């Protein structure tokens, strides 16, 4: 064959391949929008918030005190950010209002998830002073759970533990960092930094994976046990826990510029990306050490959280390109038919195939509202980075 034709063909193949695998964030945001738009019509009880698909196949919604209650309005706020269309602001406000009473909730560490993803995005986009006051009160409630002896915020009031702290708790610190910025009261910041330091010391293994639960003795402040609750085993690496840690320490670096947080975030990302059990599409099994891999469920939520975290992380390290590329790979996978639901299916959730709590036989291979939240957030971040042409 003519050498020139072979060359043109090779270039065309390469181009086709490149175009095929490129992420079109706005196209994917439009797909997410279609799901959310339909759900605004299909599901209208603003006192109960979409969380997942129940075993009977129907949408399962939860009250405002559930840890996932803020993600749905967060998704609507992200749509407002994406479209600038007031109809999304109106919808987001309607779905945010029912969360206000949680600002006085001192029975959970999840106020960051519940209030910052909802009111936090709302405040960022509208500057509504009422939202600010609600979040400041929320930060005060969250701070009541800090114990100076253990140096941590207590995660749960339920369970068999004395003073349980879970890696997920790193995600609730953003609300505290924010509260210091808007009030000038450094006590929130101190609580957040102390919690991050103690967690760094006690939650991580030599390979940079993290335990799910660390239980503390409140008299001595010492660690009593390192165990799991939602992972496969005490010594395993629960996938979403790794993603929470990666994202949480990236935020801790953003808010403090303390290099040790950035170093840890990079190590967690490396653990995730270099793990021999990470599938080619970079969407992890629900636990990196799940016993029946490759016949185990994937967790799209862990992938979405990790992708969003890696995009932010990529902007802080000297050569962030590999993290940006890895996040892009994850988002391409999540945007494929394997994970992205077709319009009008999946109870109008965007992504399929997450795992909530397999050991409790709960939420196995289901859509989860927070998988959608971090997927949409990551797409917005990616879109912004592409426009700014940042690394
Ligand atoms: N924060 C609870 C979970 O990740 O399932």
């Amino acid at each position: 064959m003519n050498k020139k034709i072979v060359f043109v063909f090779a270039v065309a193949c390469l181009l086709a391949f490149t175009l095929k695998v490129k992420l079109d964030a706005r196209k994917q945001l439009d797909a997410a929008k279609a799901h959310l738009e339909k759900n605004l019509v299909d599901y209208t009880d603003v006192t109960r918030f979409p969380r997942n698909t129940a075993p009977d196949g129907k949408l399962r919604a939860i009250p405002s005190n559930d840890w996932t209650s803020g993600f749905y309005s967060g998704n609507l706020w992200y749509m407002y950010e994406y479209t600038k269309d007031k109809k999304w602001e109106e919808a987001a406000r309607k779905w945010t209002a029912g969360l206000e009473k949680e600002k006085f909730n001192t029975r959970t560490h999840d106020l960051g998830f519940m209030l910052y993803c909802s009111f936090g995005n709302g405040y960022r986009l509208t500057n509504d002073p009422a939202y600010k006051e609600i979040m400041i009160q929320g930060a005060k409630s969250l701070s009541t759970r800090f114990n100076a002896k253990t140096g941590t915020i207590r995660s749960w009031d339920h369970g068999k533990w004395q003073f349980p702290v879970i890696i997920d708790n790193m995600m609730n610190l953003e609300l505290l960092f924010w509260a210091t910025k808007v009030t000038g009261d450094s006590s929130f910041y101190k609580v957040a930094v102390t919690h991050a330091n103690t967690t760094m010391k006690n939650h991580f293994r030599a390979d940079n994976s993290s335990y799910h639960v660390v239980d503390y003795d409140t008299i001595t402040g010492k660690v009593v046990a390192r165990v799991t609750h939602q992972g496969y085993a005490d010594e395993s690496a629960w996938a979403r826990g790794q993603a929470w840690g990666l994202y949480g320490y990236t935020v801790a670096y953003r808010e403090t510029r303390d290099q040790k947080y950035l170093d840890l975030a990079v190590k967690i990302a490396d653990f995730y990306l270099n793990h021999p059990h990470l599938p080619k599409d970079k969407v992890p099994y629900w636990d990196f050490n799940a016993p029946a891999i490759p016949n185990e469920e994937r967790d799209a939520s862990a992938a979405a959280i990790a992708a969003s975290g890696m995009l932010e992380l990529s902007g802080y390290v000297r050569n962030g390109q590999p993290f940006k590329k890895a996040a892009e790979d994850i988002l391409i996978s999540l945007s494929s038919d394997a994970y992205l639901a077709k319009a009008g299916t999946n109870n109008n959730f965007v992504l399929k195939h997450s795992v909530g709590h397999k050991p409790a036989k709960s939420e196995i291979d289901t859509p989860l509202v927070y998988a959608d939240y971090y997927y949409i957030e990551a797409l917005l971040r990616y879109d912004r980075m592409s426009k700014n042409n940042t690394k």
Side-chain angles (χ1 to χ4, degrees):
M1 212 192 292
N2 181 317
K3 268 190 193 157
K4 200 169 158 196
I5 293 174
V6 172
F7 177 73
V8 171
F9 181 69
V11 170
C13 285
L14 192 68
L15 203 64
F17 181 75
T18 313
L19 288 176
K20 189 164 169 272
V21 296
K22 208 170 156 27
L23 176 67
D24 183 344
R26 297 187 78 81
K27 179 172 162 230
Q28 300 314 137
L29 284 163
D30 284 340
K33 179 157 74 78
H35 282 289
L36 289 162
E37 219 147 32
K38 182 150 186 341
N39 208 47
L40 286 180
V41 177
D42 289 356
Y43 183 78
T44 55
D45 177 359
V46 294
T47 65
R48 292 184 71 82
F49 305 86
R51 171 167 171 155
N52 63 0
T53 290
D56 66 4
K58 296 206 177 101
L59 182 143
R60 176 169 162 252
I62 40 77
S64 64
N65 65 356
D66 184 279
W67 79 273
T68 65
S69 62
F71 293 115
Y72 186 63
S73 58
N75 289 339
L76 303 177
W77 283 116
Y78 279 148
M79 280 303 124
Y80 176 48
E81 182 171 11
Y82 173 52
T83 62
K84 316 276 185 297
D85 183 339
K86 285 280 178 193
K87 88 169 186 198
W88 287 104
E89 180 188 355
E90 203 182 300
R93 281 188 180 277
K94 209 161 76 183
W95 280 93
T96 299
L99 302 166
E100 178 174 351
K101 62 176 177 296
E102 300 311 323
K103 68 186 178 185
F104 294 121
N105 187 344
T106 55
R107 302 288 315 272
T108 177
H109 71 131
D110 283 321
L111 290 183
F113 285 124
M114 293 149 79
L115 300 179
Y116 203 73
C117 300
S118 53
F119 291 102
N121 279 310
Y123 181 66
R124 184 174 59 81
L125 296 169
T126 68
N127 268 320
D128 185 331
Y131 285 9
K132 178 174 158 185
E133 292 312 312
I134 290 164
M135 283 194 292
I136 292 170
Q137 178 54 53
K140 286 181 188 159
S141 298
L142 178 55
S143 295
T144 64
R145 299 182 65 79
F146 179 72
N147 182 311
K149 194 78 200 172
T150 64
T152 52
I153 297 164
R154 182 184 181 123
S155 293
W156 296 325
D157 287 357
H158 64 80
K160 55 195 175 214
W161 308 281
Q162 193 185 147
F163 192 94
V165 178
I166 61 176
I167 186 65
D168 324 26
N169 206 337
M170 284 301 301
M171 298 295 287
N172 293 309
L173 305 185
E174 197 170 3
L175 174 64
L176 299 177
F177 286 123
W178 172 88
T180 284
K181 280 188 284 195
V182 296
T183 63
D185 177 351
S186 62
S187 65
F188 302 112
Y189 184 96
K190 282 183 192 144
V191 166
V193 164
T194 308
H195 181 94
N197 291 344
T198 311
T199 299
M200 178 181 270
K201 188 165 102 211
N202 293 329
H203 252 87
F204 288 85
R205 307 184 181 100
D207 66 359
N208 303 307
S209 67
S210 59
Y211 290 93
H212 184 201
V213 187
V214 174
D215 191 19
Y216 290 88
D217 183 323
T218 50
I219 309 293
T220 64
K222 292 211 170 96
V223 171
V224 179
R226 292 180 172 90
V227 294
T228 197
H229 185 55
Q230 284 161 258
Y232 163 60
D234 291 346
E235 289 299 331
S236 73
W238 174 49
R240 196 161 54 254
Q242 313 315 305
W244 290 142
L246 191 173
Y247 191 118
Y249 277 99
T250 303
V251 170
Y253 174 73
R254 180 218 300 153
E255 298 299 334
T256 63
R257 298 289 150 173
D258 187 331
Q259 183 66 33
K260 69 174 182 287
Y261 298 149
L262 184 62
D263 293 345
L264 181 55
V266 166
K267 285 180 194 163
I268 303 168
D270 285 342
F271 173 86
Y272 179 110
L273 293 172
N274 298 326
H275 199 286
H277 290 165
L278 184 70
K280 275 208 172 62
D281 68 3
K282 299 190 172 69
V283 178
Y285 297 100
W286 66 279
D287 189 304
F288 281 99
N289 308 103
I293 287 173
N295 301 313
E296 294 276 0
E297 294 79 11
R298 306 293 191 87
D299 182 10
S301 77
I305 297 157
S308 192
M310 282 183 214
L311 282 179
E312 180 166 9
L313 182 61
S314 75
Y316 299 146
V317 292
R318 198 166 295 131
N319 175 19
Q321 189 53 32
F323 292 130
K324 185 175 178 209
K325 173 73 173 65
E328 185 182 35
D329 291 347
I330 292 172
L331 292 174
I332 288 170
S333 300
L334 294 179
S335 302
S336 73
D337 288 349
Y339 297 95
L340 185 74
K342 296 237 178 311
T345 68
N346 209 36
N347 287 313
N348 304 324
F349 290 107
V350 182
L351 295 179
K352 306 177 276 185
H353 305 315
S354 289
V355 173
H357 190 164
K358 188 163 179 182
K361 300 189 173 38
S362 166
E363 298 182 315
I364 302 170
D365 196 17
T366 179
L368 287 170
V369 66
Y370 49 95
D372 292 359
Y373 178 86
Y374 290 101
Y375 173 65
I376 293 169
E377 179 183 86
L379 290 172
L380 285 171
R381 285 180 172 183
Y382 185 87
D383 186 45
R384 219 165 21 242
M385 289 165 91
S386 307
K387 270 194 211 125
N388 298 342
N389 203 14
T390 50
K391 49 183 181 161

